Amino acid sequence: MEEKIYTVTEFNKLVKLYLDENPNFQEFFLSGELSGVTYYKSGHLYFTLKDKQSQIKCAAFNYKYKRIPDNLKEGDSVKIFGDVGFYETRGDFQVLVRHIQKEDKLGEMFDKLEKLKSDLEKEGLFSPLFKKPLPKYPSAIGIVTAYTGAAFHDIVNTTRKRFKNIDIYIYSAKVQGIGAKEEIVKGIETLNKIPEIDLIIAGRGGGSVEDLWAFNEEEVARAFYKSEKPIISAVGHEIDYLLSDLVADVRAATPTQAVEIAIPVKEEIEKKLLDKQRILSTYMRSLLERKKESIQNLRNSYVLKNFQKIVSEKNQNLILKEERLERALEKIIKNKKHDLDIRVERVVVLNPIATLKRGYSITKADGKIVKNSSDLKVGQRIETVLDRGKVTSLIEEIIE
C-alpha cells in the first residue's frame, strides 16, 4: 500500500472539504449550557457550549445583526442553530452560530422541585416531629461548605467572636455545579462519624437560583434528614425555602445567622453565671444570718437553760404514769379473771357429763338423742348412756 503524505495545508483542506460537503454538519440544532461567554466590541460573540461530558467552541459573528441576545451569561441553557466551521489556517474546529434561543430550563427545574417537595412531604421529611433540638452549649461544630468561600470565613470568624474555645471541623465541598451534591452528601456523612462534633452547619453564601440548586437536590435533602447529629441549613438567601431548609433541624437565612443561632456568646454566659453566683452568695449569707440568729435564740431559750431540770421533771412524770399504768393493768386483769371464772362455772353446769354424774342418763335411737316418746316405736332398739357404760334395750311398750 502506497504511503500517503500530506502537508498540513493539504490535510486541513481535505477536512474542510469533508465538513462543508457533509449535510450532517450543516444547518443543525445543538442544546447545552453556556460557558466562557465573551462579547467583543467588534460585534462578535464567542462561547463554549457544554453538557455533563463534553464541550464545543462556538462563534457568532455580527451577533447583533442576527438578533442574538446580548445578555447571555455563564450557565444559561440554550438551543443554537448553525453550521460546522473549520478555520484552515489554525486548524480550529467550531460551530458557526446563526441563531441562539434561551431554554426555560429553570422552569422545568422548578416543576420537578415542586413534585419532589410534595413526595418528600408525604414521606414526613418536613415533619416537626423529626426535628432534633440543638445542643445548648456545643463544644465542637462541623461545617460543610467550600473552604475558599466567604461562607466558611463568616462561620469561623463569627464562631471565634462568640466562643473562641469551640473546636471547628471543616469538610471542604463544592457547593455549586457538577459534583456539588455528591460532595455535600459526603461531607454530612463524614462529619456524622466524628463523635466529638455536637452539631453540623451545611451551606454556602448567596448566589443565583442555579448556584444554590445543589441544596434543592433530593440526595442532599435526604442526607440532611438522615443526619444523626443536629444540622442547620445555612444558605445565603432570604426569599424562598430550599429543600435543605425544609428538611434540616433548623434553617438559617445566612451562614452567619446559623452561628448566631447555634453558638452562645461566651461573655454573656459568663455574665449570667456571675449574676447567679452573686444572687446565690447573697442568699446563702442571708440564710446563714437567719440560722445564726435562730441558734442564738435557742441558746437563750428557757428550754436549753433549764434542760436538766425539765428532763428530771419529765422522768418523774414518766415514773408516775408507769405506776398508774401498772395498777390499771392489774385491775383489768383481775376483772377479766373474775369474768372467766363465772363463764367456766356456767359451762361446767351445762356439761352433759356433769348431768350424768348426778344419776341421769341419755337415750339414743339410731345415733340420735331421744327427746319424745313419739319418736320411738315398739320393737326398736335403743341405747342408754350412763355415767359409766351404756345399756342396749328393745322396746316392748310405749306409754304416751
Side-chain angles (χ1 to χ4, degrees):
M1 183 177 178
E2 186 179 351
E3 237 179 19
K4 291 183 180 181
I5 302 176
Y6 299 101
T7 64
V8 174
T9 301
E10 289 173 338
F11 187 78
N12 280 358
K13 282 182 179 293
L14 287 174
V15 172
K16 180 173 174 56
L17 181 63
Y18 174 76
L19 294 175
D20 289 343
E21 292 181 352
N22 192 326
N24 291 327
F25 298 121
Q26 307 300 318
E27 298 183 341
F28 55 83
F29 288 95
L30 279 179
S31 64
E33 187 178 296
L34 295 181
S35 177
V37 180
T38 307
Y39 289 94
Y40 286 92
K41 292 181 180 180
S42 61
H44 302 328
L45 166 65
Y46 293 92
F47 60 87
T48 299
L49 191 69
K50 65 180 183 178
D51 56 22
K52 291 184 178 181
Q53 284 80 35
S54 306
Q55 61 183 24
I56 188 171
K57 292 182 179 179
C58 302
F61 301 116
N62 298 317
Y63 69 89
K64 291 184 179 179
Y65 175 76
K66 297 176 182 178
R67 295 184 179 179
I68 290 174
D70 59 0
N71 61 346
L72 297 173
K73 63 183 183 302
E74 185 84 15
D76 279 350
S77 181
V78 297
K79 181 170 68 175
I80 68 173
F81 177 74
D83 314 287
V84 169
F86 187 76
Y87 189 37
E88 292 180 56
T89 306
R90 293 202 302 266
D92 287 342
F93 172 85
Q94 60 187 356
V95 175
L96 303 178
V97 180
R98 299 192 197 181
H99 180 70
I100 298 178
Q101 177 183 338
K102 282 188 176 183
E103 291 186 325
D104 189 14
K105 185 177 180 183
L106 194 58
E108 294 178 7
M109 291 166 65
F110 273 112
D111 288 341
K112 291 180 181 178
L113 176 62
E114 288 305 312
K115 184 180 183 307
L116 180 57
K117 275 184 182 179
S118 177
D119 293 341
L120 296 182
E121 186 173 17
K122 289 176 183 176
E123 287 186 43
L125 269 66
F126 305 156
S127 173
L129 297 175
F130 302 112
K131 304 293 184 187
K132 295 179 286 295
L134 300 181
K136 195 170 183 180
Y137 301 110
S139 58
I141 63 172
I143 305 171
V144 180
T145 192
Y147 184 74
T148 56
F152 168 71
H153 298 288
D154 289 345
I155 292 173
V156 172
N157 293 337
T158 307
T159 301
R160 291 292 175 241
K161 287 178 183 177
R162 294 175 72 84
F163 208 116
K164 63 182 179 180
N165 305 90
I166 288 179
D167 295 327
I168 300 174
Y169 294 77
I170 173 69
Y171 185 98
S172 183
K174 286 183 68 176
V175 289
Q176 72 181 72
I178 298 172
K181 64 181 180 182
E182 290 83 4
E183 292 195 16
I184 295 169
V185 171
K186 184 66 175 175
I188 294 173
E189 292 174 347
T190 301
L191 295 182
N192 263 280
K193 295 175 182 177
I194 301 176
E196 293 79 10
I197 293 177
D198 297 311
L199 67 90
I200 297 171
I201 299 174
R204 52 157 294 153
S208 66
V209 174
E210 293 91 339
D211 294 340
L212 308 180
W213 202 261
F215 291 89
N216 272 330
E217 297 288 355
E218 181 177 2
E219 295 89 338
V220 173
R222 291 192 181 278
F224 269 78
Y225 178 75
K226 292 177 182 177
S227 175
E228 295 179 4
K229 299 180 185 294
I231 187 166
I232 302 175
S233 174
V235 183
H237 66 107
E238 294 282 355
I239 304 173
D240 296 322
Y241 274 62
L242 300 169
L243 272 187
S244 62
D245 296 331
L246 297 171
V247 177
D249 297 307
V250 174
R251 180 248 185 184
T254 63
T256 299
Q257 189 189 62
V259 177
E260 292 170 350
I261 292 172
I263 309 299
V265 178
K266 185 178 181 181
E267 287 75 13
E268 292 179 0
I269 296 174
E270 290 174 342
K271 183 178 180 301
K272 288 179 181 178
L273 289 174
L274 288 173
D275 290 342
K276 289 182 178 180
Q277 184 182 28
R278 282 193 291 270
I279 292 171
L280 186 60
S281 297
T282 302
Y283 172 76
M284 290 303 296
R285 283 195 296 270
S286 175
L287 181 63
L288 286 173
E289 289 299 323
R290 291 198 301 273
K291 294 298 181 184
K292 284 180 182 178
E293 184 179 349
S294 177
I295 291 171
Q296 189 60 40
N297 290 336
L298 287 173
R299 284 177 178 173
N300 297 329
S301 70
Y302 172 82
V303 174
L304 286 181
K305 286 184 175 180
N306 299 277
F307 182 75
Q308 191 63 44
K309 181 181 178 181
I310 292 171
V311 171
S312 297
E313 291 176 354
K314 295 293 183 184
N315 283 335
Q316 187 63 36
N317 289 334
L318 185 61
I319 291 170
L320 293 174
K321 288 180 179 180
E322 186 178 358
E323 290 175 352
R324 290 175 188 170
L325 180 61
E326 286 179 356
R327 288 195 296 271
L329 286 174
E330 288 176 358
K331 184 176 180 180
I332 290 171
I333 292 171
K334 183 177 180 180
N335 292 337
K336 293 294 182 182
K337 185 175 182 304
H338 177 69
D339 290 343
L340 180 62
D341 291 341
I342 293 171
R343 291 175 184 273
V344 169
E345 287 179 4
R346 289 177 181 173
V347 170
V348 169
V349 169
L350 295 174
N351 188 352
I353 296 174
T355 303
L356 294 176
K357 286 183 180 295
R358 293 199 300 272
Y360 293 92
S361 63
I362 299 172
T363 301
K364 293 183 179 181
D366 299 327
K368 296 180 181 179
I369 295 174
V370 178
K371 296 180 180 180
N372 196 324
S373 60
S374 61
D375 294 334
L376 302 173
K377 57 186 177 178
V378 176
Q380 186 176 4
R381 189 178 297 277
I382 60 174
E383 182 182 77
T384 302
V385 179
L386 306 172
D387 179 33
R388 292 185 180 181
K390 298 177 182 179
V391 175
T392 301
S393 307
L394 192 64
I395 300 174
E396 293 181 351
E397 181 183 5
I398 297 174
I399 299 173
E400 294 292 341

